[in-house]
Amino acid sequence: MFELISEHACFGGVQRFYRHVSTEIGLAMRFAVYLPPQAQQGPVPALFYLAGLTCTEETFAIKAGAQRLAAHYGIALISPDTSPRGAGIEGETAAWDLGVGAGFYVDATQAPWAAHYRMDSYITRELYAAVLAQLPLDATRIGIFGHSMGGHGALALALRNPGLFRSVSAFAPIAAPARSPWGEKAFSAYLGADREAWKQYDASELVVQTGCVFPDGILIDQGLSDSFLAEQLQPHLFEAACEQAGQPLILRRHANYDHGYYFISTFIEDHLRYHAAILSR
């Protein structure tokens, strides 16, 4: 069961923050839920939002300005935390891009991370099932999106689980993590030295394996003044992989925009509209 930490009236609906003990993680986890006013009448479609490095379950709710749009379209928003917290692993808070706040949405296989850093299974098995069971959500109309590390997570988890998610989009995702310094660092720690094992969480590898599993397309927005674009994000690699796989992709490049939530808040309406169009069918 969920423990309600707080709730706040918002655009006719309610923004809630929850805590629960996760069996997959083996620790208490937090997540945020926005329920639009339409949820008072019955089940509504829902979007999982995966946040980026250093973020928490609160970041998207506070910074993106998505609740007004979610209320308009009648879509619930679910934002999990970005990693386990309190695992007691030596060095888990030593770097901002590994450990706490940097779970990378994978199931770790390497010690000492494997016992608790199971963000893939936490989201796609435990949290997914729990929110559908306990909240007024329509299980046939679920999408996923995210930013940066969370954009990587959204693309990878959607491609790994097309039966769970009907729509997917991303803001400035780490689009080919096996070929980026952030991804190499995280995958080496969580998944080990075998680069073949990394492919199971690399969207640019996965889309070639899966082919066209999202015929309505995948939407990505990328700022061209993003300081991480060339070295870390590399959307052109995902673009080429989608072309090879026959997966429709809408990749929009925006002059002057950087990596932060000013960028996200500018284009969040486009993403909510995109998901609503698919999930309303």
Side-chain angles (χ1 to χ4, degrees):
M1 293 293 293
F2 304 150
E3 174 191 353
L4 181 64
I5 300 171
S6 67
E7 65 178 0
H8 315 273
C10 189
F11 293 102
V14 60
Q15 178 68 56
R16 293 176 178 169
F17 296 93
Y18 289 101
R19 179 193 298 113
H20 72 132
V21 176
S22 165
T23 55
E24 287 288 350
I25 300 295
L27 297 165
M29 293 291 290
R30 294 180 179 235
F31 63 97
V33 174
Y34 176 71
L35 290 175
Q38 294 86 340
Q40 300 170 23
Q41 308 303 319
V44 295
L47 288 175
F48 281 78
Y49 176 85
L50 307 185
L53 290 164
T54 76
C55 294
T56 73
E57 76 286 351
E58 294 183 311
T59 308
F60 179 72
I62 293 170
K63 292 186 174 183
Q67 293 94 336
R68 176 182 62 83
L69 302 163
H72 173 74
Y73 290 111
I75 295 177
L77 303 171
I78 302 157
S79 303
D81 201 352
T82 52
S83 77
R85 295 179 191 267
I89 296 172
E90 184 177 357
E92 71 174 340
T93 61
W96 63 275
D97 55 357
L98 181 70
V100 171
F104 268 82
Y105 304 103
V106 305
D107 282 352
T109 58
Q110 304 299 301
W113 308 100
H116 298 292
Y117 278 67
R118 297 181 48 78
M119 291 300 292
D120 175 358
S121 290
Y122 170 65
I123 292 167
T124 61
R125 297 181 186 180
E126 185 175 9
L127 185 61
Y128 188 101
V131 295
L132 286 175
Q134 299 183 50
L135 297 172
L137 307 179
D138 184 342
T140 68
R141 295 188 291 164
I142 308 294
I144 189 169
F145 67 148
H147 169 233
S148 193
M149 177 186 71
H152 138 71
L155 295 174
L157 297 189
L159 291 166
R160 286 168 58 84
N161 302 276
L164 296 184
F165 304 108
R166 285 180 54 187
S167 57
V168 57
S169 71
F171 297 95
I174 307 172
R179 286 173 277 182
S180 80
W182 280 340
E184 289 177 338
K185 181 176 181 177
F187 286 1
S188 294
Y190 297 144
L191 304 176
D194 182 4
R195 286 179 173 262
E196 285 299 309
W198 300 2
K199 293 181 179 180
Q200 65 183 309
Y201 288 110
D202 186 310
S204 293
E205 298 286 350
L206 284 166
V207 74
V208 174
Q209 298 171 20
T210 61
C212 179
V213 292
F214 291 98
D216 291 305
I218 295 171
L219 172 63
I220 292 177
D221 278 303
Q222 175 63 61
L224 293 181
S225 292
D226 189 324
S227 61
F228 303 116
L229 175 57
E231 184 179 28
Q232 302 284 9
L233 306 180
Q234 305 181 81
H236 66 284
L237 296 178
F238 186 67
E239 184 177 40
C242 284
E243 183 175 358
Q244 178 183 345
Q247 170 60 60
L249 173 67
I250 306 161
L251 174 55
R252 308 191 307 179
R253 296 172 169 91
H254 305 279
N256 303 320
Y257 285 92
D258 61 20
H259 195 67
Y261 271 81
Y262 296 113
F263 161 62
I264 293 172
S265 63
T266 300
F267 298 104
I268 188 67
E269 183 167 7
D270 293 348
H271 284 247
L272 267 291
R273 186 188 305 115
Y274 157 81
H275 286 280
I278 296 171
L279 298 179
S280 65
R281 297 172 191 166

